[in-house]
């Protein structure tokens, strides 16, 4: 219970969400809605986004001054994309979504494929630009046509949910997630795992989730932890569940903190 209170106290998870997480009888996380995917893209929470090494290298006062001085003269797509990301999250540079979108536009014009995806997410959410789903789809398609796995992954979501005027076509979504997974996209491995578990092909779903988890995908680690607790698709194993949930919780996964609370409550001798 203490674990659940910790997550609620952070104001990042609601009581309704905690009830959903703590009930093994309910299907957990069938899919992330497209607007959540877009938010994760902008914030760099998925496999897309600026690398931790690049973020860390910008933390010194010297680097800060250099970036603030030079960002308006960037001539390379990686520099423009990084500047957009820093304005978008308020890391090193002051938080400014409009300037972030301008730098993403510049990176797109310089041919940066990930910038297509991030700018598409900005248009999808209306963050720093006027909301324009058609423009978002255009950017996703342009990057997907050149093989960008994050763009393929995003388009798969649109087919899966029938969003932005796309016909609902889960077979097409599965095909596109498979294509992105073949390019190494861990979010697509995770989503394929979720899809197969949802359609009662748990053995195939677990295989995809394990592939993502072994490569460090936090959501996949957390989902496997829940599955080992409930015994869905795998043999029930509380110790394995605890290990996986602790691993995900150590990476800031709040649902895993809640799930650890539930796990400890079910054991005798624990408060």
């Amino acid at each position: 219970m203490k674990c659940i209170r910790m997550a609620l106290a952070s104001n990042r998870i609601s009581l309704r969400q905690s009830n959903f997480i703590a009930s093994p009888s309910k299907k957990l996380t069938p899919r992330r809605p497209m607007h959540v995917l877009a938010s994760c893209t902008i914030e760099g929470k998925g496999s897309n986004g600026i690398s931790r090494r690049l973020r860390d290298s910008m933390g010194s006062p010297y680097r800060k001054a250099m970036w603030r001085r030079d960002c308006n003269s960037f001539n390379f797509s990686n520099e423009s994309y990084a500047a957009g990301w820093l304005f978008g999250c308020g890391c090193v540079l002051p938080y400014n979504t409009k300037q972030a979108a301008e730098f993403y536009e510049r990176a797109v014009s310089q041919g940066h494929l990930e910038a297509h995806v991030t700018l598409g997410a900005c248009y999808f959410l209306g963050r720093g630009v006027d909301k324009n789903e058609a423009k978002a789809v255009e950017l996703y398609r342009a990057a997907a046509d050149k093989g960008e796995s994050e763009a393929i992954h995003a388009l798969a979501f649109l087919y899966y949910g029938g969003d932005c005027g796309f016909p609902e076509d889960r077979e097409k979504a599965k095909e596109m997630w498979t294509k992105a997974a073949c390019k190494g996209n861990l979010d697509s491995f995770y989503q394929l795992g979720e899809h197969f578990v949802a359609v009662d092909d748990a053995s195939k779903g677990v295989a995809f989730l394990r592939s993502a988890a072994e490569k460090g995908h936090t959501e996949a680690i957390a989902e496997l932890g829940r599955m080992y607790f409930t015994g869905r698709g795998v043999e029930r194993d509380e110790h394995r569940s605890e290990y996986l949930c602790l691993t995900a919780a150590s990476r800031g996964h709040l649902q895993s903190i809640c799930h650890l609370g539930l796990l400890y409550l079910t054991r005798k001798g624990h408060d």
Side-chain angles (χ1 to χ4, degrees):
M1 199 65 184
K2 183 179 178 182
C3 293
I4 296 175
R5 288 198 190 103
M6 285 169 57
L8 291 171
S10 71
N11 293 322
R12 289 172 66 191
I13 188 167
S14 68
L15 274 169
R16 190 175 73 81
Q17 287 174 309
S18 68
N19 291 336
F20 181 66
I21 294 159
S23 174
S25 63
K26 295 183 180 180
K27 175 69 183 79
L28 296 166
T29 320
R31 71 180 185 98
R32 290 182 295 170
M34 186 60 193
H35 73 276
V36 177
L37 173 68
S39 296
C40 289
T41 298
I42 291 172
E43 294 162 14
K45 290 182 179 177
S47 55
N48 190 27
I50 201 166
S51 70
R52 178 174 294 179
R53 181 182 297 178
L54 183 55
R55 290 203 305 269
D56 292 345
S57 73
M58 295 170 184
S60 70
Y62 170 78
R63 291 282 185 180
K64 234 180 241 195
M66 183 188 72
W67 274 81
R68 287 177 175 169
R69 184 194 67 206
D70 295 343
C71 63
N72 287 318
S73 61
F74 286 155
N75 295 315
F76 298 100
S77 63
N78 283 336
E79 291 176 330
S80 298
Y81 178 67
W85 193 91
L86 293 171
F87 275 118
C89 71
C91 174
V92 180
L93 298 175
Y95 179 73
N96 188 319
T97 57
K98 185 175 180 180
Q99 277 194 288
E102 288 173 359
F103 276 105
Y104 292 143
E105 290 270 15
R106 183 185 298 186
V108 166
S109 70
Q110 293 165 336
H112 197 285
L113 293 181
E114 284 187 12
H116 281 72
V117 181
T118 312
L119 184 61
C122 291
Y123 276 109
F124 189 87
L125 295 170
R127 188 174 297 184
V129 291
D130 293 334
K131 186 178 174 69
N132 188 333
E133 291 183 353
K135 179 68 174 176
V137 171
E138 179 186 329
L139 287 160
Y140 290 147
R141 286 194 188 279
D145 288 344
K146 294 180 180 177
E148 171 55 46
S149 67
E150 285 291 337
I152 297 167
H153 179 73
L155 289 173
F157 260 103
L158 296 176
Y159 278 111
Y160 194 90
D163 298 321
C164 298
F166 279 56
E168 186 174 317
D169 187 342
R170 298 197 170 183
E171 283 302 310
K172 178 70 172 177
K174 184 174 72 172
E175 177 187 321
M176 296 187 78
W177 276 326
T178 301
K179 183 177 179 180
C182 289
K183 293 176 176 289
N185 188 289
L186 297 185
D187 288 335
S188 292
F189 272 98
Y190 168 74
Q191 211 57 54
L192 284 167
E194 288 284 86
H195 167 76
F196 284 115
V197 169
V199 298
D200 296 323
D201 191 347
S203 61
K204 190 177 286 188
V206 168
F208 277 107
L209 290 171
R210 280 183 178 150
S211 293
E214 287 167 3
K215 293 178 176 65
H217 193 281
T218 303
E219 287 284 348
I221 294 168
E223 181 66 14
L224 284 172
R226 292 191 291 263
M227 292 175 74
Y228 274 108
F229 180 75
T230 61
R232 181 175 187 183
V234 292
E235 186 176 348
R236 193 170 188 275
D237 185 337
E238 282 194 12
H239 294 292
R240 184 68 176 161
S241 174
E242 180 182 10
Y243 170 77
L244 290 164
C245 288
L246 281 169
T247 302
S250 71
R251 300 177 178 206
H253 193 271
L254 292 172
Q255 291 182 355
S256 291
I257 297 174
C258 292
H259 207 77
L260 282 168
L262 175 64
L263 190 153
Y264 293 142
L265 282 171
T266 62
R267 290 184 181 172
K268 293 181 180 179
H270 286 267
D271 294 333

